[in-house]
Coordinates of all heavy atoms in Angstrom, one line a residue:
M25 N 133.6 -57.2 107.8 CA 135.0 -57.2 107.3 C 135.5 -55.7 107.5 O 136.7 -55.6 107.9 CB 135.0 -57.6 105.9 CG 136.3 -57.3 105.2 SD 136.8 -58.7 104.2 CE 138.3 -58.1 103.6
F26 N 134.7 -54.7 107.1 CA 135.2 -53.4 107.3 C 135.4 -53.0 108.7 O 136.3 -52.2 109.0 CB 134.1 -52.4 106.6 CG 134.1 -52.5 105.1 CD1 133.0 -53.0 104.5 CD2 135.2 -52.1 104.4 CE1 132.9 -53.1 103.1 CE2 135.2 -52.2 103.0 CZ 134.0 -52.7 102.4
R27 N 134.6 -53.6 109.6 CA 134.8 -53.3 111.0 C 136.2 -53.8 111.5 O 136.9 -53.2 112.3 CB 133.7 -53.9 111.9 CG 132.5 -53.1 111.9 CD 131.5 -53.7 112.8 NE 130.2 -53.0 112.8 CZ 129.1 -53.3 113.5 NH1 129.2 -54.4 114.3 NH2 128.0 -52.6 113.4
A28 N 136.5 -55.0 111.0 CA 137.8 -55.6 111.4 C 139.0 -54.7 110.9 O 140.0 -54.5 111.6 CB 138.0 -57.0 110.8
I29 N 138.9 -54.2 109.7 CA 139.9 -53.4 109.1 C 140.0 -52.1 109.9 O 141.0 -51.6 110.3 CB 139.7 -53.1 107.6 CG1 139.8 -54.4 106.8 CG2 140.6 -52.0 107.1 CD1 139.3 -54.2 105.4
A30 N 138.8 -51.5 110.3 CA 138.8 -50.3 111.0 C 139.4 -50.5 112.4 O 140.1 -49.6 112.9 CB 137.3 -49.8 111.2
D31 N 139.1 -51.6 113.0 CA 139.7 -51.9 114.3 C 141.2 -52.0 114.3 O 141.9 -51.5 115.1 CB 139.1 -53.2 114.9 CG 137.7 -53.1 115.4 OD1 137.3 -51.9 115.6 OD2 137.0 -54.1 115.5
V32 N 141.7 -52.6 113.2 CA 143.2 -52.8 113.1 C 143.8 -51.4 112.9 O 144.8 -51.0 113.5 CB 143.5 -53.7 111.9 CG1 145.0 -53.6 111.5 CG2 143.1 -55.1 112.2
L33 N 143.2 -50.6 112.1 CA 143.7 -49.2 111.8 C 143.6 -48.4 113.1 O 144.6 -47.6 113.4 CB 142.8 -48.5 110.7 CG 143.1 -49.0 109.3 CD1 142.1 -48.3 108.3 CD2 144.5 -48.9 108.9
R34 N 142.6 -48.6 113.9 CA 142.5 -47.8 115.2 C 143.6 -48.3 116.1 O 144.2 -47.4 116.8 CB 141.2 -48.1 115.9 CG 140.1 -47.1 115.4 CD 138.9 -47.2 116.3 NE 137.7 -47.1 115.4 CZ 136.8 -48.0 115.2 NH1 136.9 -49.2 115.8 NH2 135.8 -47.8 114.4
Q35 N 143.9 -49.5 116.2 CA 145.0 -50.0 117.0 C 146.3 -49.5 116.6 O 147.2 -49.1 117.4 CB 145.0 -51.6 117.0 CG 143.8 -52.2 117.8 CD 143.8 -53.7 117.8 OE1 144.6 -54.3 117.0 NE2 143.0 -54.3 118.5
I36 N 146.5 -49.5 115.3 CA 147.8 -49.0 114.7 C 147.9 -47.5 115.1 O 149.0 -47.0 115.5 CB 147.9 -49.2 113.2 CG1 148.0 -50.7 112.9 CG2 149.1 -48.5 112.6 CD1 147.9 -51.1 111.5
A37 N 146.9 -46.7 114.9 CA 146.9 -45.3 115.1 C 147.1 -45.1 116.6 O 147.9 -44.1 117.0 CB 145.6 -44.7 114.7
G38 N 146.5 -45.9 117.5 CA 146.7 -45.7 118.9 C 148.2 -46.0 119.3 O 148.7 -45.3 120.1
A39 N 148.8 -47.0 118.7 CA 150.2 -47.3 119.0 C 151.1 -46.2 118.5 O 152.0 -45.8 119.3 CB 150.5 -48.6 118.3
I40 N 150.8 -45.7 117.4 CA 151.6 -44.6 116.9 C 151.5 -43.3 117.8 O 152.5 -42.7 118.1 CB 151.3 -44.2 115.4 CG1 151.7 -45.4 114.5 CG2 151.9 -42.9 115.0 CD1 151.1 -45.2 113.1
A41 N 150.3 -43.0 118.2 CA 150.0 -41.9 119.0 C 150.8 -42.1 120.4 O 151.4 -41.1 120.9 CB 148.5 -41.7 119.3
T42 N 150.8 -43.3 120.9 CA 151.5 -43.5 122.2 C 153.0 -43.3 122.0 O 153.6 -42.7 122.8 CB 151.2 -45.0 122.6 OG1 149.8 -45.2 122.8 CG2 151.9 -45.3 123.9
V43 N 153.5 -43.8 120.9 CA 155.0 -43.7 120.7 C 155.4 -42.2 120.5 O 156.4 -41.8 121.0 CB 155.4 -44.5 119.5 CG1 156.8 -44.2 119.1 CG2 155.2 -46.0 119.8
V44 N 154.5 -41.5 119.8 CA 154.8 -40.1 119.5 C 154.7 -39.2 120.8 O 155.5 -38.3 121.0 CB 153.9 -39.5 118.5 CG1 153.9 -38.0 118.4 CG2 154.2 -40.2 117.1
T45 N 153.7 -39.5 121.7 CA 153.5 -38.7 122.9 C 154.4 -39.1 124.0 O 154.6 -38.3 124.9 CB 152.1 -38.8 123.3 OG1 151.7 -40.1 123.6 CG2 151.1 -38.2 122.3
L46 N 155.0 -40.3 124.0 CA 155.9 -40.7 125.1 C 157.0 -39.7 125.4 O 157.2 -39.4 126.6 CB 156.4 -42.1 124.9 CG 155.5 -43.2 125.3 CD1 156.1 -44.6 124.9 CD2 155.4 -43.2 126.8
P47 N 157.8 -39.3 124.4 CA 158.9 -38.4 124.8 C 158.4 -37.1 125.4 O 159.0 -36.5 126.3 CB 159.6 -38.1 123.4 CG 159.1 -39.2 122.5 CD 157.8 -39.7 123.0
F48 N 157.3 -36.6 124.9 CA 156.7 -35.3 125.4 C 156.2 -35.5 126.9 O 156.4 -34.6 127.7 CB 155.6 -34.8 124.5 CG 156.1 -34.4 123.2 CD1 155.8 -35.2 122.1 CD2 156.8 -33.3 123.0 CE1 156.2 -34.9 120.8 CE2 157.2 -32.9 121.7 CZ 157.0 -33.8 120.6
R49 N 155.6 -36.7 127.1 CA 155.2 -36.9 128.5 C 156.4 -37.0 129.4 O 156.4 -36.5 130.6 CB 154.4 -38.3 128.6 CG 153.1 -38.2 128.0 CD 152.4 -39.5 128.1 NE 151.1 -39.5 127.4 CZ 150.3 -40.6 127.3 NH1 150.7 -41.7 127.8 NH2 149.2 -40.5 126.6
A50 N 157.5 -37.7 129.0 CA 158.7 -37.8 129.8 C 159.3 -36.4 130.1 O 159.7 -36.1 131.2 CB 159.7 -38.7 129.1
L51 N 159.3 -35.6 129.1 CA 159.9 -34.2 129.3 C 159.0 -33.4 130.2 O 159.5 -32.7 131.1 CB 159.9 -33.5 127.9 CG 161.1 -33.9 127.0 CD1 160.9 -33.1 125.7 CD2 162.4 -33.5 127.6
A52 N 157.7 -33.6 130.1 CA 156.8 -32.9 131.0 C 157.0 -33.4 132.5 O 157.0 -32.5 133.4 CB 155.3 -33.1 130.6
R53 N 157.2 -34.6 132.6 CA 157.4 -35.2 134.0 C 158.7 -34.6 134.5 O 158.9 -34.2 135.7 CB 157.5 -36.7 134.0 CG 156.1 -37.3 134.0 CD 156.2 -38.8 134.1 NE 155.0 -39.5 134.0 CZ 154.8 -40.8 134.0 NH1 155.8 -41.6 134.1 NH2 153.6 -41.3 133.8
L54 N 159.8 -34.6 133.7 CA 161.1 -34.1 134.1 C 161.0 -32.6 134.6 O 161.4 -32.3 135.7 CB 162.0 -34.2 132.9 CG 163.0 -35.3 132.9 CD1 163.8 -35.3 131.6 CD2 163.9 -35.3 134.1
F55 N 160.4 -31.8 133.7 CA 160.4 -30.4 134.0 C 159.3 -30.1 135.1 O 159.5 -29.2 136.0 CB 160.1 -29.6 132.8 CG 161.2 -29.5 131.8 CD1 161.2 -30.2 130.6 CD2 162.4 -28.9 132.2 CE1 162.2 -30.1 129.7 CE2 163.5 -28.9 131.3 CZ 163.4 -29.5 130.1
G56 N 158.2 -30.8 135.1 CA 157.2 -30.7 136.1 C 157.7 -31.1 137.5 O 157.6 -30.4 138.5
G57 N 158.4 -32.2 137.6 CA 159.0 -32.7 138.8 C 160.1 -31.7 139.3 O 160.2 -31.4 140.5
A58 N 160.9 -31.2 138.4 CA 162.0 -30.3 138.8 C 161.4 -29.0 139.4 O 161.9 -28.5 140.4 CB 162.9 -30.0 137.6
S59 N 160.4 -28.5 138.8 CA 159.8 -27.2 139.2 C 159.1 -27.4 140.6 O 159.1 -26.6 141.5 CB 158.8 -26.6 138.2 OG 157.7 -27.5 138.0
R60 N 158.4 -28.6 140.7 CA 157.7 -28.9 142.0 C 158.7 -29.0 143.1 O 158.6 -28.5 144.2 CB 156.9 -30.2 141.8 CG 155.7 -30.0 141.1 CD 154.9 -31.3 141.1 NE 154.0 -31.3 139.9 CZ 153.7 -32.4 139.2 NH1 154.3 -33.5 139.5 NH2 153.0 -32.3 138.1
S61 N 159.8 -29.8 142.9 CA 160.8 -30.0 143.9 C 161.5 -28.7 144.3 O 161.8 -28.4 145.4 CB 161.8 -31.1 143.5 OG 162.6 -30.6 142.4
G62 N 161.7 -27.9 143.3 CA 162.4 -26.6 143.5 C 161.5 -25.7 144.3 O 161.9 -25.0 145.2
R63 N 160.2 -25.7 144.1 CA 159.3 -24.9 144.9 C 159.2 -25.4 146.3 O 159.2 -24.6 147.2 CB 157.9 -25.0 144.3 CG 157.7 -24.2 143.0 CD 156.3 -24.3 142.4 NE 156.3 -24.0 141.0 CZ 155.4 -24.4 140.2 NH1 154.4 -25.2 140.6 NH2 155.4 -24.0 138.9
R64 N 159.2 -26.7 146.5 CA 159.2 -27.2 147.8 C 160.4 -26.8 148.6 O 160.3 -26.4 149.8 CB 159.1 -28.8 147.8 CG 157.7 -29.3 147.4 CD 157.7 -30.8 147.4 NE 156.5 -31.3 146.7 CZ 156.4 -32.5 146.1 NH1 157.5 -33.3 146.1 NH2 155.4 -32.8 145.5
S65 N 161.6 -27.0 148.0 CA 162.8 -26.7 148.8 C 162.9 -25.2 149.0 O 163.4 -24.8 150.1 CB 164.1 -27.2 148.0 OG 164.1 -26.5 146.8
G66 N 162.4 -24.4 148.1 CA 162.4 -22.9 148.3 C 161.5 -22.5 149.4 O 161.9 -21.7 150.3
R67 N 160.4 -23.2 149.6 CA 159.5 -22.9 150.7 C 160.2 -23.3 152.0 O 160.1 -22.6 153.0 CB 158.2 -23.7 150.6 CG 157.3 -23.1 149.6 CD 156.0 -23.9 149.5 NE 155.1 -23.5 148.4 CZ 154.1 -24.2 148.0 NH1 153.8 -25.3 148.5 NH2 153.4 -23.8 146.9
G68 N 160.8 -24.5 152.0 CA 161.5 -24.9 153.2 C 162.6 -24.0 153.7 O 162.8 -23.8 154.9
R69 N 163.3 -23.4 152.8 CA 164.4 -22.5 153.1 C 163.9 -21.2 153.7 O 164.5 -20.6 154.6 CB 165.3 -22.2 151.9 CG 166.1 -23.4 151.5 CD 166.8 -23.1 150.2 NE 167.4 -24.3 149.7 CZ 167.8 -24.4 148.4 NH1 167.7 -23.4 147.6 NH2 168.4 -25.5 148.0
R70 N 162.8 -20.7 153.2 CA 162.2 -19.5 153.7 C 161.7 -19.5 155.1 O 161.7 -18.6 155.8 CB 161.1 -19.0 152.7 CG 161.6 -18.6 151.4 CD 160.5 -18.1 150.5 NE 161.0 -18.0 149.1 CZ 160.2 -18.1 148.0 NH1 158.9 -18.2 148.2 NH2 160.7 -18.0 146.8
V71 N 161.1 -20.7 155.4 CA 160.5 -20.9 156.7 C 161.5 -21.1 157.8 O 162.3 -20.6 158.2 CB 159.5 -22.1 156.7 CG1 159.0 -22.3 158.1 CG2 158.4 -21.9 155.7

């Protein structure tokens, strides 16, 4: 019985962690992609 409760709590905690980290992951992709594309275009212009 305690294992079942622990499993439910783990699932809830995992869902909360996913929801909390999603905006930060999206921001990291946005800024990471922008800096990567900027570097690529910068290299292309120099050559």
Side-chain angles (χ1 to χ4, degrees):
M25 170 135 179
F26 289 114
R27 281 187 184 176
I29 294 170
D31 287 340
V32 170
L33 289 176
R34 272 191 220 116
Q35 287 178 352
I36 292 170
I40 291 171
T42 302
V43 170
V44 168
T45 56
L46 271 175
F48 296 105
R49 287 182 188 176
L51 284 174
R53 281 187 186 177
L54 260 176
F55 289 113
S59 65
R60 282 184 207 141
S61 65
R63 287 180 198 157
R64 284 181 196 154
S65 63
R67 285 182 191 164
R69 290 177 189 160
R70 289 179 194 159
V71 173

